[in-house]
Amino acid sequence: MSNLAGSASIPAYSIILLIELGIFVNQASNFLEVSTTVGVLTDSETGALVTINVNMDSNPIGTIFIDPSNSVITYNIVLTDVSIGHHVIQILADSGGYSLNGLATAQATVYG
């Protein structure tokens, strides 16, 4: 799933919601995997890192720091025994001084 039409432009020194998706967990013994891919294009050389935060139900569940010299970053977060019910997953980007343009996708899968 991607909330973006082609790409997103993130102004320098700002935090933006890239993707928000929902998932339903139907049993207590489970694994929840969140897979995210973020593409990074930048023309800045400030030396700052891009921070991608993953939240579930407004609580942080993972953070990754990206060196903007990399063009595509893919990462997974795995949680165990997530509570039964509906959950909201958010992928947020903090540009860290860069003006960013790139693609972002995410998917969440429940096993168990």
Side-chain angles (χ1 to χ4, degrees), residues 7-47:
S7 67
S9 180
I10 305 170
Y13 299 105
S14 64
I15 298 174
I16 186 172
L17 175 64
L18 294 177
I19 299 172
E20 185 172 58
L21 60 120
I23 192 161
F24 181 76
V25 176
N26 63 357
Q27 68 183 50
S29 180
N30 60 62
F31 293 92
L32 171 64
E33 179 182 21
V34 180
S35 300
T36 305
T37 300
V38 178
V40 178
L41 300 172
T42 182
D43 56 5
S44 177
E45 296 185 17
T46 64

Side-chain angles (χ1 to χ4, degrees), residues 60-85:
I61 60 170
T63 300
I64 187 167
F65 299 97
I66 300 172
D67 175 351
S69 64
N70 295 321
S71 60
V72 177
I73 301 297
T74 299
Y75 59 96
N76 297 334
I77 296 171
V78 177
L79 303 172
T80 58
D81 300 328
V82 175
S83 62
I84 295 173

